[in-house]
Amino acid sequence: MRHIISILMENESGALSRVAGLFSARGYNIESLTVAPTEDSSLSRMTLVTRGNEDIIEQITKQLNKLIDVVKLIDLVDSAHIERELMMVKIKTSEHMRDEIRSMAEIFRGKIIDVTPTTYIVEMTGPSEKLDAFIDAVDPDTIIEVVRSGPTGISRGEKGLYL
Amino acid sequence: MELSGAQILVQSLIDEGVEYIFGYPGGAVLHLYDALFQQDEIKHILVRHEQGATHAADGYARATGKPGVVLVTSGPGATNAVTGIATAYMDSIPLVVISGQVSLPVIGSDAFQEVDMIGITRPCVKHNYLVKDVTKLAETIKKAFYVATTGRPGPVVVDIPKDITAPNIKVPYKYPKKVSIRSYNPVVTGHKGQIKKAVDLLLRAQKPIIYSGGGVILGEASKELTEFTHTLGYPITNTLMGLGGFPATDKQFIGMLGMHGTYEANMAMHESDVIIAIGARFDDRVTGKLDLFCPYAKIIHIDVDPASISKTVKVDIPIVGEVKPVLEQMLELIRENHKKPHKKALEPWWHQIEQWRAVNCLEYDRESRLIKPQYVIEQLYEVTKGDAYITSDVGQHQMWAAQYYHFDKPRRWINSGGLGTMGFGLPAAIGVKLAFPDADVACVTGEASVQMCIQELSTALQYKTPIKIINLNNRYMGMVRQWQEFSYESRYSHSYMDTIPEFVKLAEAYGHVGMRIDKPEEVRPALEEAFAMKDRTVFLDIITDQTENVYPMIEAGKGHHDMKLRVALGTSTDRELA
Ligand SMILES: Cc1cc2nc3c(=O)[nH]c(=O)nc-3n(C[C@H](O)[C@H](O)[C@H](O)COP(=O)(O)OP(=O)(O)OC[C@H]3O[C@@H](n4cnc5c(N)ncnc54)[C@H](O)[C@@H]3O)c2cc1C
Ligand SMILES: Cc1ncc(C[n+]2csc(CCOP(=O)(O)OP(=O)(O)O)c2C)c(N)n1
Ligand SMILES: [Mg+2]
């Protein structure tokens, strides 16, 4: 099953490589990983998407918790949560295609953020499946480049990951 | 007080109470060595190879329970230390390893003797630090000791760039009394609810067994374990790392378990209905094939590291905490409730165990004209009255030492279990002897292993650490040969060295006493003579039967109930047992 592990860790050089190294050394897979400092500059927050059965996920969370730089973590999938990913897609646009791309972007609540005579860049956020659906809907021959941030997430209600 | 980085490091180690540093100098640590030169509180032990430094510090740590301290230079000094760091890591031994690094401005430029020590050691340390600011040095050292010695212990590397130690940059020094790390809070006591459940289950058991490991030694809980075991009256087995955690000569002890454990210990594990694992980690050498592991048992597991629990074997009642307080909690609960298992109810179980014990699985050919390695260890046990510190290398000799030397006290058996590092024994013995100069210290080794760190014989002379090296010389990498005999139709591929040194001369060249023993009747007198030479390191080159194998054995893919036993001597044969 797919799990989204959200991690608060010390904002130290090397902390990221400890996490990445743990995954490669123990043979766990990482589907995506995003990391950025938080409002508290001593901490950064990492969101990691991985897959595995219950036993593997249990080991992953235990091993992550064991890293000295990891302050706290939660598996977002354990409870209600919101998941978002940012995507930018550069699309080749001939004159007669422009309306179609624009309306498609609108349906998916995307924005066109850059226009040249031959290209559009569409920006879109949402759960990863929604972004996948947009990509599927666009003619693959027109896609020049896709940039995705990897999902990040937050739990709903009062529950959360904070100190 | 204003000090340079080098002085801060040395003063921090003094304030931490460090007695010995095991090290080797080089460019990146010259400032540090200069500061060491100008003090006389800490003794520096100059090894002959950085691997020796880590193993010696490790031996010191295992024998004393205090952290071992290592100092090496950058680049090759640092990489030479890695095997020893990984060895300590696998057995959860507290070490603080200080490595020099190239100066901060040139890090990353492939500077002379630069290696990414933080990157190289990351997978085999509990934690590591690169010091980038001299004002943080003292605090970092304090943190390193704190992390290394608390929770599940382990090695910590502190990588110090040369410019941080420069003599001309001085900053105020204060060694912190305490540190706390917000992201690191090891659990100490056990969860009350879990402890109650565990005690209830234990007291209802009909075929219980206590399976204890290195965590009891690391957690200084032998006394509690012994009381716990006596209170319950249950059989107890130890892992290789747990030997000495419970007295081996006690009636309730049924030997080591696992691949080369006793028949009675493995059979009892297999047939048991309740297992309590205490500071042991269900290593694959212990469990055998996982699908066949203890099919009838409910399992309780006490471990300070949550990640050790249900890693390989799913357990029913996990208790996260340190062995010592958890056992105290359990004992208290048992006492409070005036509950004790009925002796009568345990009789059938003990009766069964005695039958397994009667198989006498460790019996060997005592009539042989060749020296049997088992006999040597038995004699070593007698000559040292069971009270020596025994270090070992890796191979058959290690298993024989574990099987035939009965450890009654913790921290007496010092070996590399998790990584299985050949070369460990000799430097480790030096570390032990430094800690306990008046005790008998012997290194049980093989002719292959001992050559891996043989250069430390020179260190032993310089620092007057008179140890006894018991070289069980079978002219083979016996453990490898045994596997080739059993699994590769005796194709002995490269497990034999056509040339081995004359160890007697070698020992003499290093300034020690060498003895060669090749008859069984010479073994005892030679050992007595060697141990009588209190102030000399003696190398006993003992020529043993090269066909001897370690029995019993659980072969790959087999379960505990399916051991290969020696067929010999009117003891039992495989057929009789089936
Ligand atoms: C050639 C060879 C053959 C071997 N054959 C065997 C064999 O037949 N039988 C055998 O048993 N081993 C054998 N080994 C050793 C084996 O590889 C493992 O090293 C060993 O079994 C591990 O022992 P352990 O489970 O006691 O764990 P250790 O490695 O000692 O780990 C200790 C455990 O206790 C925990 N712990 C630490 N401190 C505390 C504390 N204060 N409180 C609570 N928990 C704590 C740790 O988190 C860890 O889980 C062999 C090794 C070699 C090289
Ligand atoms: C550094 C290292 N290299 C290789 C091995 C694999 N190995 C395990 S036991 C062994 C043979 C040891 O031979 P010896 O020291 O003579 O001991 P014996 O088994 O003969 O008692 C080898 C090569 C190891 N454990 N460590
Ligand atoms: Mg040998």
Side-chain angles (χ1 to χ4, degrees):
Chain A
M1 209 181 104
R2 180 169 174 272
H3 290 258
I4 307 173
I5 300 173
S6 201
I7 307 166
L8 274 183
M9 50 197 239
E10 299 291 348
N11 191 5
E12 303 253 356
S13 70
L16 178 62
S17 65
R18 289 183 208 280
V19 173
L22 174 76
F23 274 71
S24 63
R26 295 192 181 265
Y28 308 140
N29 77 47
I30 300 187
E31 228 159 70
S32 74
L33 187 138
T34 69
V35 58
T38 64
E39 70 288 358
D40 171 351
S41 66
S42 71
L43 287 174
S44 48
R45 184 168 176 131
M46 181 185 275
T47 310
L48 196 152
V49 178
T50 183
R51 271 175 204 280
N53 63 30
E54 234 174 89
D55 294 348
I56 291 177
I57 300 298
E58 183 181 329
Q59 263 301 308
I60 290 178
T61 54
K62 283 173 168 178
Q63 293 292 348
L64 281 170
N65 263 316
K66 213 169 133 173
L67 295 177
I68 307 281
D69 285 337
V70 169
V71 182
K72 226 173 163 183
L73 63 82
I74 53 170
D75 185 347
L76 288 175
V77 176
D78 283 345
S79 59
H81 66 283
I82 292 165
E83 178 189 336
R84 289 289 179 271
E85 183 174 0
L86 168 69
M87 173 169 77
M88 292 180 277
V89 192
K90 190 180 289 177
I91 302 172
K92 235 188 304 187
T93 51
S94 50
E95 197 56 50
H96 66 280
M97 286 284 295
R98 294 206 158 202
D99 285 348
E100 190 188 325
I101 302 278
R102 230 176 310 163
S103 63
M104 185 95 79
E106 222 162 85
I107 295 170
F108 280 86
R109 294 182 198 283
K111 277 189 286 187
I112 292 169
I113 56 170
D114 185 64
V115 179
T116 71
T118 53
T119 63
Y120 271 171
I121 295 177
V122 178
E123 175 200 303
M124 192 174 287
T125 58
S128 305
E129 313 88 76
K130 179 179 129 180
L131 309 188
D132 296 342
F134 178 75
I135 297 287
D136 288 344
V138 178
D139 174 2
D141 293 339
T142 65
I143 296 178
I144 301 173
E145 202 178 348
V146 179
V147 180
R148 297 176 67 149
S149 65
T152 182
I154 192 163
S155 42
R156 303 179 77 138
E158 301 215 340
K159 199 176 171 211
L161 180 65
Y162 42 81
L163 289 193
Chain B
M1 191 171 30
E2 300 242 312
L3 298 178
S4 73
Q7 291 168 324
I8 288 177
L9 177 79
V10 172
Q11 194 56 46
S12 299
L13 297 177
I14 293 171
D15 289 347
E16 189 61 46
V18 172
E19 208 180 351
Y20 290 106
I21 298 180
F22 300 86
Y24 206 96
V29 287
L30 282 177
H31 299 321
L32 291 173
Y33 270 85
D34 196 46
L36 272 178
F37 190 82
Q38 300 179 41
Q39 58 84 46
D40 48 17
E41 289 183 61
I42 299 187
K43 289 174 252 30
H44 179 274
I45 304 298
L46 177 66
V47 293
R48 302 300 187 257
H49 184 301
E50 289 86 351
Q51 183 182 350
T54 49
H55 292 330
D58 182 327
Y60 173 88
R62 290 182 204 236
T64 60
K66 293 187 243 172
V69 180
V70 176
L71 173 58
V72 296
T73 192
S74 69
T79 54
N80 270 352
V82 172
T83 298
I85 295 170
T87 303
Y89 178 70
M90 290 296 280
D91 291 340
S92 307
I93 305 303
L95 292 187
V96 172
V97 179
I98 293 147
S99 52
Q101 182 53 279
V102 299
S103 289
L104 279 170
V106 299
I107 285 186
S109 68
D110 301 322
F112 177 62
Q113 296 198 327
E114 176 180 4
V115 294
D116 175 12
M117 185 61 166
I118 296 297
I120 286 180
T121 58
R122 199 182 47 233
C124 60
V125 291
K126 184 166 172 189
H127 196 54
N128 55 23
Y129 295 97
L130 172 64
V131 182
K132 288 184 179 162
D133 176 354
V134 65
T135 64
K136 301 253 170 68
L137 180 56
E139 186 194 333
T140 306
I141 297 298
K142 183 76 200 175
K143 281 186 180 167
F145 278 94
Y146 172 58
V147 170
T149 53
T150 50
R152 178 177 184 168
V156 175
V157 165
V158 185
D159 201 31
I160 309 182
K162 185 167 185 181
D163 48 345
I164 295 286
T165 60
N168 54 334
I169 303 167
K170 300 207 169 180
V171 298
Y173 168 77
K174 191 164 167 276
Y175 195 63
K177 283 213 168 58
K178 260 184 76 176
V179 279
S180 70
I181 302 174
R182 64 175 166 185
S183 54
Y184 175 70
N185 300 295
V187 180
V188 178
T189 53
H191 185 278
K192 284 211 180 94
Q194 293 294 90
I195 287 179
K196 178 159 187 324
K197 273 201 240 164
V199 168
D200 286 348
L201 178 64
L202 265 180
L203 295 178
R204 275 187 282 125
Q206 293 184 331
K207 300 176 177 181
I209 182 162
I210 300 167
Y211 146 48
S212 79
V216 171
I217 316 273
L218 295 163
E220 307 283 358
S222 304
K223 198 174 124 270
E224 290 72 16
L225 176 68
T226 307
E227 191 186 340
F228 180 77
T229 307
H230 286 157
T231 303
L232 292 173
Y234 293 172
I236 177 168
T237 176
N238 286 167
T239 66
L240 182 72
M241 302 315 291
L243 294 174
F246 183 84
T249 50
D250 190 290
K251 285 194 308 296
Q252 281 171 256
F253 186 63
I254 60 171
M256 181 169 84
L257 82 167
M259 181 174 279
H260 292 299
T262 63
Y263 182 67
E264 51 272 34
N266 285 328
M267 287 304 287
M269 286 291 284
H270 188 77
E271 295 294 329
S272 66
D273 64 352
V274 174
I275 295 171
I276 177 163
I278 307 178
R281 59 184 173 82
F282 296 88
D283 182 81
D284 50 55
R285 296 258 151 157
V286 163
T287 58
K289 193 171 161 63
L290 281 174
D291 310 342
L292 301 172
F293 180 73
C294 301
Y296 319 111
K298 288 244 182 280
I299 304 176
I300 303 163
H301 188 186
I302 307 172
D303 204 295
V304 73
D305 178 4
S308 276
I309 293 176
S310 294
K311 181 162 63 178
T312 55
V313 172
K314 270 251 174 238
V315 303
D316 301 280
I317 306 181
I319 302 173
V320 178
E322 286 192 19
V323 175
K324 194 181 172 103
V326 171
L327 285 180
E328 276 166 0
Q329 285 172 286
M330 294 182 95
L331 273 166
E332 201 179 295
L333 198 63
I334 295 170
R335 270 189 237 111
E336 264 174 23
N337 300 349
H338 306 288
K339 281 197 226 157
K340 247 192 187 183
H342 293 292
K343 253 204 150 137
K344 265 239 141 355
L346 282 172
E347 265 172 19
W349 181 227
W350 270 113
H351 180 70
Q352 170 70 77
I353 289 171
E354 291 310 333
Q355 279 183 328
W356 290 323
R357 198 159 11 204
V359 164
N360 222 349
C361 68
L362 294 178
E363 195 46 61
Y364 62 92
D365 177 7
R366 290 169 190 277
E367 311 297 314
S368 171
R369 284 311 301 146
L370 299 171
I371 299 176
K372 288 288 180 180
Q374 300 93 332
Y375 174 74
V376 178
I377 306 293
E378 283 179 347
Q379 293 305 309
L380 175 66
Y381 177 73
E382 283 181 18
V383 169
T384 58
K385 303 187 177 59
D387 204 27
Y389 288 83
I390 307 291
T391 73
S392 98
D393 271 298
V394 174
Q396 291 181 317
H397 60 273
Q398 176 187 24
M399 294 298 109
W400 288 316
Q403 291 174 331
Y404 295 88
Y405 200 99
H406 311 291
F407 294 95
D408 278 341
K409 295 179 192 162
R411 302 197 177 280
R412 294 303 174 106
W413 167 234
I414 288 163
N415 81 134
S416 164
L419 199 66
T421 309
M422 291 169 67
F424 174 83
L426 169 54
I430 295 173
V432 175
K433 187 71 185 178
L434 284 165
F436 298 105
D438 299 329
D440 283 333
V441 179
C443 164
V444 174
T445 185
E447 79 297 333
S449 291
V450 77
Q451 292 188 67
M452 287 216 177
C453 276
I454 192 85
Q455 72 286 346
E456 301 309 330
L457 279 176
S458 183
T459 312
L461 186 70
Q462 178 170 348
Y463 297 98
K464 304 191 176 59
T465 53
I467 52 178
K468 313 300 169 208
I469 296 153
I470 316 294
N471 187 37
L472 298 180
N473 187 345
N474 53 8
R475 282 82 69 218
Y476 270 102
M477 295 173 201
M479 187 56 94
V480 176
R481 190 200 55 70
Q482 175 168 347
W483 282 61
Q484 289 171 334
E485 180 185 329
F486 290 175
S487 309
Y488 299 89
E489 297 171 318
S490 300
R491 288 186 296 279
Y492 296 137
S493 179
H494 301 278
S495 52
Y496 181 82
M497 292 175 185
D498 276 329
T499 58
I500 37 176
E502 266 187 54
F503 287 109
V504 171
K505 282 191 187 160
L506 189 68
E508 286 167 2
Y510 275 109
H512 303 303
V513 179
M515 294 163 89
R516 186 185 151 100
I517 298 108
D518 53 16
K519 292 188 197 64
E521 60 274 17
E522 293 169 358
V523 170
R524 177 73 181 233
L527 284 169
E528 279 168 355
E529 191 186 338
F531 280 94
M533 286 186 252
K534 289 281 175 213
D535 54 354
R536 297 301 296 273
T537 288
V538 183
F539 192 114
L540 296 105
D541 186 22
I542 305 178
I543 311 303
T544 59
D545 180 354
Q546 61 189 147
T547 63
E548 190 55 87
N549 287 326
V550 182
Y551 289 103
M553 176 173 182
I554 304 176
E555 289 183 285
K558 300 264 169 89
H560 280 161
H561 59 306
D562 201 4
M563 291 200 90
K564 192 181 179 95
L565 294 164
R566 175 190 305 278
V567 185
L569 265 186
T571 57
S572 312
T573 64
D574 284 346
R575 209 170 321 110
E576 276 169 45
L577 284 164

